[in-house]
Amino acid sequence: VSEVQKPIHRTSKNTILFSDVEGQVKNDKVKSTVKTQHQKSESTPKPLPPIIDSMIHNTTRKEQNLFLQLPKFTHVMPTPFSPIMPSECPTGCGCYEELVRCSGTGLTRVPRLSYPRVELFFLSKNRIARIPKNVFTGLSSLRSLHLDNCHLVDKGITETSFYGLPHLKYLYLTQNRLTMVPTSLPSTLEYLYLDANQINVIEEKTFDQIPNLRSLY
């Protein structure tokens, strides 16, 4: 008597949610009991949308691994990445409805943008030594700001550098030229990245203004 094969249970199409931590992927709903031998028989998965494919090739190795580990049968939700008109996007940057990526574009100053729906702003690997006052006021929904490896110096961060960011939770200042912890940071911060600097001074009550801080790196 041949063995009765148990039915294969598959989940319905899943949606990938892109979080605001280094492109990290939230996809907790993906649950499948499909065995390896049955996966081979499935049809070839559709290629990723051009926008996502472009992001994979323009991210750090850590971010690339997160994208490449996605289940092949997962459906990618392209809606948050609707392109912004090219005329409104800084030269060399990638601008989408909720994300602006200007990493490694040779910028020497922060571009002033007015995208109220943008939540992620990548400025990593540029030569931005200072952050002008009120430069982020057009990004009122911003939650994650990446300024790592930008040659930032202490005097380049003023009391109004991060003004106008009422929802900012993640601030990446890794691998800059800071010798002290900035004293004028948004009170909404929950995650602050300062590693790989030359910090040797922490002024008194520096962290009193960021009571929601959960992690300091």
Side-chain angles (χ1 to χ4, degrees):
V1 180
S2 59
E3 183 179 355
V4 178
Q5 184 176 356
K6 296 181 179 180
I8 300 173
H9 300 285
R10 293 182 174 84
T11 59
S12 58
K13 280 189 175 182
N14 296 282
T15 298
I16 295 174
L17 301 176
F18 294 89
S19 75
D20 44 13
V21 186
E22 298 180 349
Q24 203 169 15
V25 176
K26 288 185 178 180
N27 197 27
D28 297 334
K29 294 184 179 179
V30 177
K31 294 180 181 178
S32 175
T33 57
V34 182
K35 296 182 180 180
T36 304
Q37 59 265 36
H38 296 295
Q39 290 179 344
K40 293 180 180 179
S41 63
E42 291 191 7
S43 59
T44 304
K46 295 181 180 180
L48 292 174
I51 292 173
I52 306 303
D53 185 64
S54 174
M55 290 178 64
I56 292 177
H57 291 89
N58 289 280
T59 55
T60 62
R61 182 174 297 178
K62 180 178 179 180
E63 291 174 314
Q64 286 179 13
N65 290 337
L66 288 169
F67 279 109
L68 296 176
Q69 288 172 8
L70 296 176
K72 292 183 179 180
F73 53 86
T74 304
H75 171 67
V76 175
M77 180 178 68
T79 305
F81 298 100
S82 301
I84 291 174
M85 293 298 292
S87 59
E88 301 174 1
C89 187
T91 302
C93 299
C95 300
Y96 309 99
E97 192 171 353
E98 295 182 5
L99 179 152
V100 174
R101 180 178 290 280
C102 294
S103 300
T105 54
L107 291 175
T108 57
R109 59 187 180 86
V110 178
R112 289 184 180 272
L113 306 176
S114 183
Y115 302 154
R117 296 190 60 180
V118 165
E119 296 185 8
L120 294 85
F121 193 6
F122 293 86
L123 286 164
S124 312
K125 299 179 182 178
N126 283 298
R127 300 185 67 84
I128 303 172
R130 58 183 296 271
I131 304 173
K133 63 180 182 179
N134 306 330
V135 72
F136 297 114
T137 52
L139 302 172
S140 56
S141 297
L142 198 66
R143 298 182 62 199
S144 181
L145 177 58
H146 294 245
L147 285 162
D148 44 301
N149 198 1
C150 277
H151 301 267
L152 271 174
V153 296
D154 297 322
K155 293 183 178 180
I157 300 177
T158 67
E159 293 183 359
T160 56
S161 289
F162 299 108
Y163 180 77
L165 297 174
H167 302 291
L168 192 68
K169 291 186 176 182
Y170 304 88
L171 180 57
Y172 294 79
L173 297 174
T174 302
Q175 200 172 347
N176 280 294
R177 298 178 179 178
L178 302 176
T179 62
M180 61 181 295
V181 177
T183 56
S184 300
L185 297 174
S187 60
T188 55
L189 276 186
E190 294 184 12
Y191 300 89
L192 178 58
Y193 296 78
L194 290 167
D195 44 311
N197 281 285
Q198 294 91 40
I199 293 177
N200 52 45
V201 175
I202 302 177
E203 292 190 3
E204 187 178 358
K205 299 183 179 181
T206 295
F207 297 106
D208 289 354
Q209 63 179 334
I210 42 179
N212 298 316
L213 192 66
R214 299 175 61 183
S215 297
L216 174 63
Y217 298 89

